[in-house]
Amino acid sequence: MKKKVLSILSLSTIFWISAQQKDSLNQKKIEEVVITGQYMQQSINKSIYKVEVIDAQQIKNMAVTNVAEVLNQNLNILIQPNRGSGDSNANIMGLSGEYTKILIDNIPVVSDQGMGNLVDLTKLNVNNIERIEIVKGSMGVEYGNNAVAGVINIITKKTYSKKFNALLSLQEETVGKDYDWFKKGNGRHIQSLNLGYKLSENWTITADINHNDFQGYKGKYNGYKYFNPDNDNLRGYEWQPKDQLITNAAVRYSKNNTTLFYKINFLSENINFYDPRVTSLPLGEGQRTFTSDDKDYFTKRWIHQFNIQTKLGRINYNGDFSYQSQERKYQDYKYDVPNRREISRDEKNTFYKSEVLYSRGMFSNFLDSEKFNFQLGYELDRTKGFADSSTGTFGTTGKDNINRTIFNYANFLSAEWKVIDNLSVRPGVRLALSDKFDSQFNYSLTAKYNFTENSDLRGIFGSANRFPTYDELYTYLVDNNHDIRGNENLKPETGYSAGLFWDYITHSSAGWKFNFSLSGMYLNVKNRIESVITNPSPLQYTYVNVDNYKSILFGGGVNVRKGDWSINTGVSAMGISRVMNTGNLTSPDDFNYYVEANLGTNYTLPSTKTIFALYYKYTGKSRQYVHKANAQDPTDPGQYVLGEIDAFNMMNFTVSQPFFKNHVELSLGVKNIFDVSSIRNTTVAGDSHNAGADNQNLFYGRSYFARLNYNF
């Protein structure tokens, strides 16, 4: 019902708004600019960091619904979904979501267990994104804790070229083979509306709303209505149904050297979990029914952010201020499966809550010199986190709720020196203070050398820290079969990365433009946190700083453009060495390599302005050592064996046709053409009591979509 009401309201808006201005997303960009890692916004070609950019047009051509789907097309980024919770995190250079910093307009995003890391990318919609900037490698000097593997900075749209802008979008998708507009239980249904109004030359206001109704993917299951008295555990979904509503409102003021920007973001998300098991419930007089213990999850998130850019004399000041909160609740209820009715429903309970106060400021342009300048910055955050014992077993009894507040403060300094006309270097340092952990130091050194106007080489070194999670600090799982304890004395992990990036641009007399790139990166993470055996009998585990992690990456890419046609392709080879330790046994430190390749191409038919877009990515078979325990003898240290993750291919295809002077656009396409759902994965370790799973869910099969855009 909700999706029908929103669709009717959206369609009504078409007839209510009479202004017919064209969204500036379709205006040609004079020059691509970036802000991630910069002193101030500047051309991507002048950036001292290697910044990968995904612009709004690319995102639109992909017909994606959230940031997770966008990033899945990039090399060396693997989105790791959790079909149970519905969350998806970014894995960069083989490291999981704890090691990647997610930003919106340079501000880290609140998550269940902190700020900026372990962010669910499916909770970030693409409705109002101008571009996504990606920097791989340790960025601790500029962005602080947890920016070990890299930074993903989502830049939202803030200005429009026309007086009034309105973009309405309706998208319908199948989920695998399932789709139904009228009945609950099938398909994905998306409605969005973007509004922008230029009040004057100085004032702009924007607002948008996005509703994403995902009705779940059954896979090997049969949906929530399915009933079998023999309890075959086939009720429910492989991917749980999820209903998501995201809204934004912002105001921007710009005059002379001062720009002010305030935005508020609200997210509401409901996830429905349907238990595959059914239980007999006697009703008396020989009657009985069958029930399941189902559960609903609710997420509310608020993000307030304020940015000021101004001049203090000749000094540039860029300040960010933010208050964010995210609360997740669950509600248990008992469901009568054959009669399709609720029997009872419990109260809602909070299981995660985070509240963050954050500020970051940068002062630059101190000197009137084109040869030398420097930047001084500060960053502070106060993060208050709560985890209910239902999310795990915490504290000193295993049944404690965890309620902790951590305050971090840092100063960072970097200087940019133009040694000669063709060579620039930038050293940097950060000192971070915390009321929980010891002081942390991070360093960076970047250099850029221009061989010619069209060819340059970047060299980058950086370090960053990764702070322990709730599980690593506070876990307490002790019973007849387990003794696993967290360690509040853990110290942050430290990552170091180094990279070389070469770019070359050339033009042909026939109008072709070629961009060639080569890259090599090395990442080393020390003091990795791992659960190790502290006592073989009785068997006891605890978390300690014991492991090391290394990865080596080599890659190359080619971008070709001419007129209405473009192609972008790349290939990479990455090797991972992960040294693990059980306390009694250490794994080999061999590098295990795997290959990735991608291809994106767009062609616009000049006569009709039809756009054809194809995106393909290949992820090769990867291997890593995994601990194999002896379930019959807990005192046996076991052995490390090579597990494998199978290769897979992903391909999406979209055709878009504009009508009525580009005011209406119809897009049709297919996602996941090769119909990938799960792959074999034998790298998931078990323990002395449980075996590891052999399959990993990635996607929900091939799906088809239709999207209608109306641009007022």
Side-chain angles (χ1 to χ4, degrees), residues 248-501:
N248 292 281
V251 57
R252 182 178 185 270
Y253 170 81
S254 181
K255 186 175 182 180
N256 298 328
N257 295 318
T258 299
T259 300
L260 306 175
F261 175 72
Y262 169 76
K263 183 174 77 171
I264 183 172
N265 168 281
F266 172 71
L267 170 138
S268 175
E269 179 184 83
N270 298 339
I271 298 176
N272 312 117
F273 170 75
Y274 298 101
D275 195 334
R277 301 164 299 178
V278 295
T279 303
S280 176
L281 177 67
L283 298 176
E285 298 182 357
Q287 301 296 314
R288 65 172 181 166
T289 188
F290 293 85
T291 65
S292 284
D293 295 323
D294 294 343
K295 183 176 295 194
D296 289 339
Y297 294 92
F298 308 91
T299 301
K300 303 290 184 187
R301 184 184 70 200
W302 289 93
I303 300 177
H304 300 266
Q305 62 186 83
F306 174 74
N307 172 263
I308 176 172
Q309 299 179 46
T310 189
K311 277 188 173 291
L312 306 173
R314 66 164 293 102
I315 299 173
N316 295 328
Y317 172 67
N318 188 341
D320 291 305
F321 305 86
S322 179
Y323 169 74
Q324 305 181 39
S325 66
Q326 178 168 296
E327 184 173 17
R328 303 188 73 177
K329 297 182 177 183
Y330 69 91
Q331 188 174 36
D332 294 317
Y333 65 97
K334 192 171 290 291
Y335 189 75
D336 185 337
V337 181
N339 295 306
R340 298 182 187 174
R341 64 184 181 89
E342 285 187 23
I343 294 177
S344 63
R345 181 175 283 265
D346 296 344
E347 295 293 322
K348 291 182 180 179
N349 294 291
T350 298
F351 63 97
Y352 273 128
K353 185 175 182 180
S354 297
E355 293 181 272
V356 177
L357 286 171
Y358 175 84
S359 179
R360 182 174 187 260
M362 296 178 294
F363 301 87
S364 60
N365 199 39
F366 287 87
L367 305 175
D368 186 13
S369 171
E370 295 183 0
K371 290 284 188 181
F372 183 82
N373 225 310
F374 64 94
Q375 174 181 265
L376 177 65
Y378 69 86
E379 184 177 51
L380 61 89
D381 72 83
R382 179 185 181 274
T383 301
K384 183 178 181 181
F386 169 81
D388 183 78
S389 58
S390 64
T391 65
T393 48
F394 294 130
T396 58
T397 68
K399 299 180 179 180
D400 297 348
N401 296 333
I402 298 301
N403 205 331
R404 297 288 189 272
T405 299
I406 297 178
F407 178 79
N408 300 309
Y409 177 80
N411 281 114
F412 53 96
L413 173 68
S414 65
E416 193 160 308
W417 178 28
K418 195 171 185 179
V419 182
I420 56 177
D421 287 344
N422 293 345
L423 175 64
S424 297
V425 297
R426 186 200 291 183
V429 63
R430 170 187 284 247
L431 169 62
L433 306 174
S434 169
D435 62 357
K436 172 64 180 175
F437 302 104
D438 292 338
S439 300
Q440 306 293 318
F441 291 91
N442 292 127
Y443 310 92
S444 67
L445 178 63
T446 59
K448 181 185 177 187
Y449 182 79
N450 295 320
F451 296 103
T452 66
E453 184 179 349
N454 297 323
S455 177
D456 57 63
L457 179 69
R458 293 174 173 88
I460 300 172
F461 167 81
S463 68
N465 304 112
R466 201 275 289 183
F467 280 9
T469 64
Y470 274 129
D471 291 344
E472 294 161 344
L473 290 169
Y474 306 119
T475 289
Y476 186 90
L477 175 56
V478 178
D479 56 28
N480 292 333
N481 296 316
H482 303 85
D483 191 327
I484 305 172
R485 310 186 189 206
N487 182 359
E488 294 194 49
N489 296 316
L490 289 171
K491 58 185 179 181
E493 300 175 0
T494 303
Y496 304 91
S497 71
L500 282 175
F501 306 89

Side-chain angles (χ1 to χ4, degrees), residues 496-698:
Y496 304 91
S497 71
L500 282 175
F501 306 89
W502 174 74
D503 288 278
Y504 176 70
I505 301 173
T506 185
H507 302 261
S508 74
S509 57
W512 293 90
K513 180 181 177 181
F514 299 88
N515 189 333
F516 301 94
S517 63
L518 293 174
S519 63
M521 290 192 70
Y522 172 77
L523 177 65
N524 187 350
V525 181
K526 295 185 176 182
N527 295 318
R528 283 258 292 184
I529 298 169
E530 186 68 37
S531 177
V532 304
I533 298 173
T534 57
N535 187 4
S537 183
L539 188 62
Q540 294 178 345
Y541 290 84
T542 192
Y543 289 93
V544 296
N545 295 95
V546 68
D547 288 353
N548 288 323
Y549 177 95
K550 298 176 183 177
S551 63
I552 298 175
L553 173 65
F554 300 99
V558 179
N559 181 272
V560 183
R561 295 178 181 272
K562 182 184 179 183
D564 297 315
W565 183 75
S566 71
I567 183 171
N568 188 66
T569 184
V571 63
S572 70
M574 185 164 69
I576 295 175
S577 169
R578 182 184 176 193
V579 180
M580 298 179 291
N581 194 316
T582 66
N584 298 310
L585 184 70
T586 301
S587 71
D589 61 355
D590 302 345
F591 277 91
N592 296 290
Y593 289 84
Y594 71 96
V595 176
E596 289 187 353
N598 68 355
L599 170 70
T601 183
N602 295 272
Y603 176 71
T604 303
L605 194 64
S607 57
T608 61
K609 301 301 179 184
T610 308
I611 300 173
F612 301 90
L614 177 73
Y615 295 92
Y616 168 77
K617 182 180 178 182
Y618 167 77
T619 302
K621 179 184 289 187
S622 60
R623 297 176 176 86
Q624 69 180 48
Y625 285 100
V626 60
H627 182 245
K628 185 177 181 181
N630 184 347
Q632 307 303 319
D633 183 7
T635 64
D636 186 341
Q639 60 180 322
Y640 282 101
V641 298
L642 268 177
E644 293 184 345
I645 303 176
D646 278 352
F648 62 94
N649 297 270
M650 288 293 297
M651 182 182 288
N652 301 339
F653 178 68
T654 305
V655 179
S656 301
Q657 177 63 57
F659 300 95
F660 307 113
K661 298 180 180 180
N662 294 322
H663 288 297
V664 177
E665 183 182 61
L666 176 64
S667 299
L668 303 173
V670 55
K671 298 180 181 180
N672 193 1
I673 291 174
F674 296 111
D675 199 21
V676 178
S677 57
S678 63
I679 58 173
R680 188 177 66 94
N681 181 354
T682 60
T683 67
V684 180
D687 57 28
S688 60
H689 305 282
N690 301 291
D694 287 338
N695 284 297
Q696 175 181 343
N697 285 79
L698 288 178

Side-chain angles (χ1 to χ4, degrees), residues 129-142:
I129 292 179
E130 184 174 283
R131 64 186 184 276
I132 299 175
E133 299 177 0
I134 305 165
V135 179
K136 294 170 184 172
S138 298
M139 296 281 290
V141 170
E142 287 82 2

